[in-house]
Amino acid sequence: NAGVTQTPKFQVLKTGQSMTLQCAQDMNHNSMYWYRQDPGMGLRLIYYSASEGTTDKGEVPNGYNVSRLNKREFSLRLESAAPSQTSVYFCASRRGTGGIGNQPQHFGDGTRLSIL
Amino acid sequence: RKEVEQDPGPFNVPEGATVAFNCTYSNSASQSFFWYRQDCRKEPKLLMSVYSSGNEDGRFTAQLNRASQYISLLIRDSKLSDSATYLCVVNSNDKIIFGKGTRLHILP
């Protein structure tokens, strides 16, 4: 079982470049999430999608866009990368919609992104 | 009061000892609770859900105290492999809140 798959695992960008982080889940989950994790900051929610066709801003959405392409896939785009976006990015999925219900999130193994 | 608070640690505990973490939450309407484990440079992984009556999984025991708004995790007979960061997670209707984690170091 693949679970949540993120690509790429590592990426180095120059300031101003754009890129899309991909995330796919094969668990037929409704909700999907993008987090960033920085030292001492914990996980911070960037965007989430409570169900196919919907997306909402999280705690730190500035500089990012997302697309819920279908039920399986949820991509995160950096239009003009900045050094402050250097981080580890985690995608997660969950059976429930939003925060409703007692189902836990399942995480991909992360994308380590460096912006020079 | 922060939505979810954890003691960041680190907790340095000798192998074989018992260690306990608490996590407090501010929203009394919170509905579901979890403990995750995160190893260095890895993704968070679900350790266990926390049920109202308390629950146990091997050496791990989780408890919920709704009146005082905290959850706890007890690790008995700690192993070197238990060294990690432990994250508590609190779900409300429209939000999932992660604590910043408690670092645990098991010492040989």
Side-chain angles (χ1 to χ4, degrees):
Chain A
N1 292 335
V4 180
T5 302
Q6 291 183 235
T7 55
K9 293 195 183 328
F10 302 93
Q11 185 69 50
V12 179
L13 294 177
K14 294 181 180 178
T15 297
Q17 286 185 314
S18 62
M19 83 160 293
T20 299
L21 308 186
Q22 307 287 353
C23 176
Q25 51 91 10
D26 62 2
M27 296 175 283
N28 200 36
H29 283 174
N30 291 309
S31 301
M32 296 186 74
Y33 309 80
W34 276 105
Y35 292 90
R36 61 178 289 173
Q37 188 173 38
D38 303 291
M41 299 295 292
L43 285 163
R44 291 186 291 170
L45 183 64
I46 304 171
Y47 271 94
Y48 69 100
S49 171
S51 60
E52 186 179 357
T54 69
T55 60
D56 287 284
K57 294 179 180 179
E59 182 185 353
V60 289
N62 291 344
Y64 305 95
N65 286 302
V66 290
S67 295
R68 183 74 183 267
L69 305 170
N70 47 56
K71 192 170 186 180
R72 290 186 64 247
E73 298 173 287
F74 188 39
S75 62
L76 178 72
R77 183 161 177 84
L78 287 71
E79 290 291 352
S80 179
S84 61
Q85 293 177 305
T86 294
S87 189
V88 180
Y89 292 84
F90 289 106
C91 177
S93 71
R94 181 173 175 270
R95 184 176 302 280
T97 299
I100 297 171
N102 62 358
Q103 304 90 3
Q105 290 176 310
H106 298 263
F107 284 81
D109 55 9
T111 295
R112 283 155 183 78
L113 183 62
S114 294
I115 316 296
L116 305 178
Chain B
R1 185 178 183 182
K2 292 181 181 177
E3 290 182 288
V4 175
E5 280 196 270
Q6 294 183 252
D7 183 337
F11 284 44
N12 296 309
V13 174
E15 190 176 10
T18 296
V19 60
F21 311 131
N22 277 351
C23 169
T24 60
Y25 61 95
S26 61
N27 185 351
S28 60
S30 298
Q31 298 168 330
S32 53
F33 309 87
F34 307 91
W35 283 104
Y36 279 72
R37 169 195 172 122
Q38 186 173 24
D39 293 291
C40 187
R41 301 179 67 78
K42 299 286 189 180
E43 75 276 20
K45 291 185 178 178
L46 179 68
L47 180 64
M48 57 197 304
S49 302
V50 186
Y51 302 123
S52 297
S53 56
N55 49 298
E56 188 174 305
D57 182 1
R59 296 181 294 109
F60 299 85
T61 300
Q63 292 192 315
L64 167 64
N65 185 318
R66 285 194 182 273
S68 300
Q69 295 182 209
Y70 73 85
I71 63 173
S72 63
L73 177 67
L74 182 79
I75 306 175
R76 291 181 299 278
D77 187 24
S78 54
K79 312 292 185 190
L80 294 175
S81 57
D82 294 333
S83 295
T85 296
Y86 291 83
L87 308 172
C88 73
V89 181
V90 177
N91 287 15
S92 301
N93 273 342
D94 60 348
K95 291 177 75 171
I96 298 173
I97 309 296
F98 279 78
K100 292 187 177 181
T102 297
R103 286 188 296 145
L104 174 65
H105 296 154
I106 303 300
L107 307 173

